[in-house]
Amino acid sequence: MMGDAVDNIPGLEGVGEKTAMKFLKEFGSIENLLANTDKLKGKLKEKVEASAERGSYPKISNHHL
């Protein structure tokens, strides 16, 4: 969710380490977060939804786990 500048992996805009941990606890996965953006509020909701629309969020395949 945070992305990684070193490996050029985009993250969700406005999401840092603390927010990413909160989202993982609450939603369990990025897919579940994106399916439930109606539960977010304010600017963070707008930024997450905009990132999802642009497709600029991390997609990790099984070989990276």
Side-chain angles (χ1 to χ4, degrees), residues 8-57:
N8 200 27
I9 298 171
L12 293 172
E13 183 181 348
V15 175
E17 185 175 357
K18 289 180 185 178
T19 304
M21 295 301 289
K22 175 184 161 198
F23 284 165
L24 282 175
K25 275 186 165 181
E26 186 172 346
F27 299 102
S29 70
I30 193 164
E31 291 82 7
N32 197 31
L33 166 65
L34 297 177
N36 291 284
T37 57
D38 58 308
K39 295 179 180 175
L40 303 176
K41 296 177 184 173
K43 289 288 184 188
L44 187 58
K45 176 181 178 176
E46 292 174 19
K47 289 179 178 184
V48 169
E49 288 176 340
S51 293
E53 288 176 12
R54 289 191 310 271
S56 59
Y57 55 88

